[in-house]
Amino acid sequence: MTAKLVVLISGNGSNLQALIDAIRMKVLPAEIVLVVANRTTAFGLERAKQAGIPAGYLLLKPYLDAGRTRVEYDADLAKMLAASKPDWVVLAGWMHILSATFLKHFPYRVVNLHPALPGKFPGAHAIEEAFAAFQRGEIKQTGCMVHLVPDEAVDAGPVIGVAETPIYRSDTLEMLANRLHQAEHKLLVQSLQRLIVGDDEEDE
């Protein structure tokens, strides 16, 4: 079975690239049918273009400037994605919280990648917060997780996969971020593989 993926991005798209590479190497039985960004400058759009993947963007600011609501934006975003009939919607660095208006169109089909362990450091500054907590002596490691997004709770939902990442005393924030991103790339592919193929092969 080849799963149809729509990938939502906001920036560089390195996790999108990890998916593109895994599909190309036949590690992940999937096809990316659409990439959507919420920024016109997101480099991930160029990555999609180079891979021959349909891509576009939908900006929130024009909605807000016109006095329209976040819910209207989410409804239009859902409509944009629904045309591609995705099996899974993958949030790979997507920096908007999705409302129930969007999520109801893809129940338990929205997958999020977050650079923190379950229950730790929700929100957009997880790496910085983990690094600060380490410096205060509160934690010795951090990590990343992939989870389903059933509702509007931020970075919470049934966990598909987790990867722990050590923090070293010699680390800078940039060094930790780079190590986490490497872990994210592997975990996202593994987690989607698990969702698409299931766990049967691991039991053999």
Side-chain angles (χ1 to χ4, degrees):
M1 173 194 170
T2 300
K4 294 167 70 174
L5 310 180
V6 168
V7 183
L8 302 188
I9 60 168
S10 293
N12 181 44
S14 62
N15 283 299
L16 166 65
Q17 189 65 55
L19 294 179
I20 291 170
D21 293 345
I23 291 168
R24 187 179 292 142
M25 292 185 291
K26 302 194 184 309
V27 173
L28 187 64
E31 175 192 4
I32 300 173
V33 293
L34 180 67
V35 172
V36 178
N38 59 2
R39 295 174 185 161
T40 57
T41 55
F43 184 67
L45 291 173
E46 180 61 27
R47 293 180 188 272
K49 181 181 172 185
Q50 290 174 4
I53 299 167
Y57 55 83
L58 189 65
L59 309 183
L60 177 61
K61 189 173 184 297
Y63 283 76
L64 303 181
D65 289 348
R68 300 178 70 194
T69 66
R70 187 72 172 263
V71 168
E72 288 177 282
Y73 172 87
D74 276 9
D76 287 348
L77 180 64
K79 196 180 299 181
M80 187 178 183
L81 270 57
S84 297
K85 298 181 179 177
D87 294 306
W88 301 98
V89 176
V90 183
L91 312 183
W94 177 257
M95 302 306 285
H96 279 174
I97 296 170
L98 295 167
S99 70
T101 301
F102 177 90
L103 295 170
K104 71 181 182 183
H105 291 277
F106 310 101
Y108 285 89
R109 286 288 179 269
V110 179
V111 181
N112 184 47
L113 172 67
H114 182 61
L117 296 172
K120 305 286 186 183
F121 312 115
H125 305 289
I127 301 175
E128 293 90 338
E129 290 174 13
F131 190 62
F134 171 80
Q135 291 180 315
R136 293 192 300 267
E138 296 170 4
I139 61 172
K140 293 182 178 179
Q141 63 182 17
T142 184
C144 51
M145 67 168 171
V146 173
H147 66 94
L148 295 178
V149 185
D151 53 38
E152 296 177 20
V154 178
D155 299 318
V159 175
I160 309 303
V162 173
E164 294 181 346
T165 304
I167 309 176
Y168 302 115
R169 290 188 181 184
S170 57
D171 274 344
T172 62
L173 178 60
E174 184 181 13
M175 290 163 70
L176 176 60
N178 286 338
R179 192 179 307 118
L180 270 166
H181 292 324
Q182 292 301 317
E184 284 181 333
H185 299 165
K186 292 179 184 174
L187 182 66
L188 183 57
V189 171
Q190 289 169 351
S191 298
L192 283 170
Q193 198 171 31
R194 187 177 176 194
L195 286 171
I196 295 164
V197 179
D199 293 326
D200 296 346
E201 293 181 12
E202 296 177 12
D203 299 331
E204 289 179 4

